[in-house]
Amino acid sequence: MVYAKTATKTATSGYVILPTLGLGLAGLVMGLLHGNEAMTLTGGTVLALGMGLSLLADIRSGALGARTARSA
């Protein structure tokens, strides 16, 4: 259980998410520019992985949680 928590915490850190998004976007664009279908699909898959990790990080931090309005 401790390993799963550590792995999730590491995977949702900025050190993993930002390079994943960057490499995925770069692969997607290069694949489209060169007409290489395999590179485009790989780049899109890596980009989707980065977006999923970003969403997981937002959920873990509570950024997407329900907010309650305080009455004045």
Side-chain angles (χ1 to χ4, degrees):
M1 187 66 175
V2 175
Y3 296 120
K5 287 183 180 180
T6 304
T8 304
K9 188 174 182 179
T10 303
T12 56
S13 70
Y15 294 110
V16 175
I17 294 173
L18 293 177
T20 304
L21 290 172
L23 288 172
L25 185 61
L28 184 67
V29 169
M30 291 301 289
L32 289 172
L33 288 176
H34 291 288
N36 187 340
E37 184 180 358
M39 188 185 293
T40 303
L41 290 174
T42 303
T45 303
V46 172
L47 184 61
L49 174 68
M51 292 171 71
L53 288 174
S54 178
L55 180 64
L56 182 62
D58 288 342
I59 291 170
R60 280 182 48 86
S61 69
L64 299 178
R67 298 176 190 255
T68 57
R70 291 187 182 187
S71 56

